[in-house]
Amino acid sequence: MPKSVVIDPKQVRQKGEISFRPIPLNQYDRTVEQELDRFSKEDLVRIHRDMAILRWFETVLNEVKLRGNYKGIEYTHRGPAHLSIGQESAAVGQAFHLGVDDHIYGSHRSHSEILAKGLSAIQKLDDTALMDIMKNYFDGECLRVVESDAHDSVKDLAVDYLIYGVLAEIFGREAGVNKGMGGSMHAFFPPFGIYPNNAVVGGSGDIAVGAALYKKINKAPGIVVCNIGDASSACGPVWEGICLATMDQYKRLWENEYRGGLPLIFNFVNNFYGMGGQPAGETMGFGILARLGAGINPEQMYAERVDGFNPLAVIDAISRKRNILERGDGPVLLDVVTYRYTGHSPSDAMSYRTREELEAWQQIDPIKTYPAELVKANVATQAEIDELNARTEELVFKAYTKAVDLKISPRADLKKKYCLLENTMYSNEKIESMDPKRTAETLISKQQNPRVQMLAKRSRSAFDENGKRLPNSRCIGIRDALFEAILDRFYVDPTLVAYGEENRDWGGAFGVYRGLTEALPYHRLFNSPISEGAIVGSAVGYALEGGRALVELMYCDFLGRAGDEVFNQLSKWQSLSGGLLKMPVVVRVSVGSKYGAQHSQDWTSITAHIPGLKVAFPATPYDAKGLLYAALVGTDPVIFFESQRIYDQPEEFVPGGVPVGYYEVPFGEPALRKEGNDVTILTIGATLYRAMSGVRQMEEKYGLSCEVIDARSIVPFNYTMVIESIKKTHKILLTSDACERGSFLHTMASKITQFAFDELDAPPVVVGSRNWITPADEVEDAFFPYPSDVLDAVHEHLQPLPGYTPQRDCSNGDLIRRSAEGI
Ligand SMILES: Cc1ncc(C[n+]2csc(CCOP(=O)(O)OP(=O)(O)O)c2C)c(N)n1
Ligand SMILES: [Mg+2]
């Protein structure tokens, strides 16, 4: 807690009450005639054109899903189609004033939002800009499909491009806006300000906060709109996102030019249903969704309910809210009332609502009522509207004929070597600064940093010049090595930010950041709420916008709280974008010890299982610094494990110790810690030191020569060094602190068996933690792999140690028993 926020007992214990301001509901009451002072006739008609395009687009999809046919052209679409027929006015109203710098993030039901935003962008961009986008986006692949048709203008061509690009994406075609890798629920198109849509509902709730953070911290133009369904208002990421987005510090503690709230609209698309459940009246207690804003901050998030069935009301609301954001008073919350006529998906029997209710909404269908208003106000004639409707239908039909044709719109070949997905799971780039044009903002020079000065007096190696072991307190440890890499990067990459719980004044949960507070302004290093999901999710949004984020999870055990963000978001958007986007995010995760069942687990295996993440677990200061450097200049998401057991560990393997300057330890390459001839021991993370202790005993007491390899990173992982070692030793034991069942060690063991079967004298042996809860520190030696466990396993499975008495039963018989009992 910063010392400037003083808690005065007199003040906080005072009697009083909180009062709330009224929350406006559907206050807009202007007519089309009145709006002629703010809109041209063309604009008012274009609003209808856009709604009509959206309606036809989804009508075609609905027909295809229901009947496998549209106007005689058959097509089976196996994927999803969550339609928003009925919700067009809300989407078009939202997009009308948004420019390409304004970014929308959304959800599974986003076709209308995508198209509306795209049509609005096309209207605002000039011909050169449009042609540039279409020619350069994936080398013009989508443009080539639509450009052969005759077009009156570049804008007409761009409309065709948009409709076809989104439809082709929904049908999984390579010319689609995301190369057909995302499909209906994830489609997006950044050049028009359309950012990832999330099939995990509410998922954008914290990602969009990171996007808004990027805009604020890097003074990037535009605002962010986060589209969330009404039922998703209950989702964790949404709540955590709202908390992170409304922290007091933006308005109270951040430096002058950075002071002010986030440029973000939490836009709840309130169609009154989840799939079939009803938030208002059944699954939530808010009655009216806009009420949510009231409890969040004194501004009540300027919450308001808007009639989303009137596009002009939505346009008006977005303009007013934008003014609030521009004066630094965001974020804001909108409850946009709308209704979907179709089911959750076309197969939905709609058993959860009455025909009368549906008809009541159909009677006021904006696709009919809005143009009727235009005719009444002499903005357009009925003939003009009819003609426009017919034209939009043709546009969509034309795109449909192209998108279903496999000759015109083939799918990506994912069976060939180096296919699209092999090439896009990682971007594998090295970019030191995500914005090389800017200099990084810092408060003092590196030399002035008190921690740098303090570390200058320490030994960079565990040994003095005579080879004598120094006390840890006189050496650079892992904690310091991490600090050095991080500090250095803050002077190189102006976009780099670090945040998480207790990151600023506290110095990071385990002191890695001590010395950073003096060096960095608030907007580059700050405390977050206890919102692990939003910490990671916002980092995803920050990176999607072009920045680099370093976030911290205090204990590995809290990864579960950020499960969706790590497993579904961080890992996926590079490949879901067809390789367009990068994800330079490093999540530092501290693996505990001493604090029992919920603070001492090694979950490396869980993250290694998820495609798209890189996973590192350094065990020495040299590797900690070099791997973190590699992570912080890379463009891929890295889960960077650290062990609390060894934060003070000095460098004892690399002669000369930890270099002062920049160097990288490449991901995927293990390190040979000790040569030997009889048994290979492969370790992950802090088990290196316990294995080394076991190795010393085996050598000294039993004359067994062991070769020790430290994995350093586990995704990616190059097996060459291990295979070469096995050619010499013909035996291998693998050890890590992860619980044995499902441990990544088993993946390694099985691959080693496959790659070096002929060289092995015995199957690889895995020594992990027991398949139990982690017990209290006092008895943890029965749980984690200790040196005696290494000896036991070698003796039992690889090489009998003469005269050795095992401490516990690790025979296959006992392993089968434990497995049968699930322990
Ligand atoms: C985290 C998560 N839980 C459940 C689902 C399944 N699901 C898909 S849509 C949906 C309803 C969402 O309702 P709402 O947020 O109101 O959006 P709407 O569908 O009305 O646009 C559900 C439960 C999901 N995709 N993600
Ligand atoms: Mg809903």
Side-chain angles (χ1 to χ4, degrees), residues 108-109 199-201 229-232 271 273-275 340 344:
H108 61 298
R109 196 181 302 286
V200 182
V201 302
D230 52 322
S232 303
N271 59 16
Y273 287 93
M275 286 168 62
R340 66 168 154 77
H344 162 69

Side-chain angles (χ1 to χ4, degrees), residues 268-288:
F268 287 93
V269 182
N270 185 358
N271 59 16
F272 296 91
Y273 287 93
M275 286 168 62
Q278 292 179 279
E282 185 187 19
T283 63
M284 297 293 283
F286 49 51
I288 294 176

Side-chain angles (χ1 to χ4, degrees), residues 449 483 486-487 490 498 512-520 525:
N449 192 290
F483 164 77
I486 294 166
L487 183 78
F490 267 109
V512 171
Y513 293 165
R514 254 175 247 142
L516 278 192
T517 309
E518 293 88 328
L520 299 171
L525 172 72

Side-chain angles (χ1 to χ4, degrees), residues 206-439:
D206 51 19
I207 293 176
V209 178
L213 267 171
Y214 177 85
K215 287 194 181 291
K216 179 175 173 59
I217 291 170
N218 298 282
K219 298 184 176 164
I223 65 169
V224 176
V225 180
C226 179
N227 288 309
I228 311 169
D230 52 322
S232 303
S233 60
C235 293
V238 176
W239 273 99
E240 290 196 4
I242 287 177
C243 293
L244 180 64
T246 52
M247 295 192 297
D248 271 341
Q249 61 179 289
Y250 304 125
K251 292 175 184 170
R252 291 181 63 176
L253 301 176
W254 285 29
E255 302 78 9
N256 292 338
E257 54 184 311
Y258 292 95
R259 193 159 290 180
L262 295 191
L264 174 62
I265 300 178
F266 286 99
N267 191 74
F268 287 93
V269 182
N270 185 358
N271 59 16
F272 296 91
Y273 287 93
M275 286 168 62
Q278 292 179 279
E282 185 187 19
T283 63
M284 297 293 283
F286 49 51
I288 294 176
L289 195 150
R291 189 192 310 279
L292 290 179
I296 300 296
N297 61 10
E299 299 87 337
Q300 301 182 189
M301 296 185 79
Y302 297 93
E304 174 177 346
R305 166 169 281 186
V306 179
D307 177 12
F309 255 37
N310 182 348
L312 300 175
V314 184
I315 295 172
D316 171 73
I318 295 279
S319 310
R320 286 185 291 103
K321 298 301 175 193
R322 181 185 203 111
N323 292 339
I324 294 172
L325 303 189
E326 283 172 355
R327 66 170 198 249
D329 227 359
V332 300
L333 186 153
L334 277 178
D335 165 7
V336 181
V337 168
T338 182
Y339 198 81
R340 66 168 154 77
Y341 300 137
T342 32
H344 162 69
S345 56
S347 57
D348 168 2
M350 295 201 263
S351 52
Y352 47 85
R353 59 182 173 186
T354 63
R355 174 177 290 274
E356 291 72 29
E357 178 185 293
L358 182 59
E359 282 171 3
W361 286 90
Q362 280 169 333
Q363 271 164 22
I364 53 167
D365 185 350
I367 213 85
K368 297 192 197 111
T369 53
Y370 177 74
E373 289 293 317
L374 296 184
V375 173
K376 202 168 99 199
N378 289 325
V379 170
T381 63
Q382 188 56 49
E384 284 166 343
I385 298 288
D386 292 343
E387 208 250 348
L388 191 153
N389 286 342
R391 238 183 317 129
T392 54
E393 187 196 357
E394 269 168 38
L395 277 183
V396 178
F397 180 61
K398 190 170 62 174
Y400 171 73
T401 59
K402 290 188 159 90
V404 296
D405 187 330
L406 273 170
K407 281 199 217 71
I408 300 173
S409 307
R411 300 193 173 95
D413 176 0
L414 295 182
K415 291 190 175 158
K416 66 179 183 194
K417 210 175 201 172
Y418 295 115
C419 69
L420 178 62
L421 280 181
E422 279 198 5
N423 289 336
T424 56
M425 289 309 296
Y426 303 110
S427 43
N428 281 324
E429 286 185 39
K430 176 174 173 175
I431 301 179
E432 293 217 25
S433 168
M434 298 303 290
D435 189 352
K437 290 193 285 303
R438 282 164 50 212
T439 49

Side-chain angles (χ1 to χ4, degrees), residues 16 38 75 105 126 139 348 617 625 719 753 786 797:
R38 299 203 286 188
Y75 184 62
Y105 287 76
D126 64 30
D139 296 325
D348 168 2
F617 198 170
K625 185 169 176 180
Y719 283 90
T753 309
Y786 263 59
H797 298 287

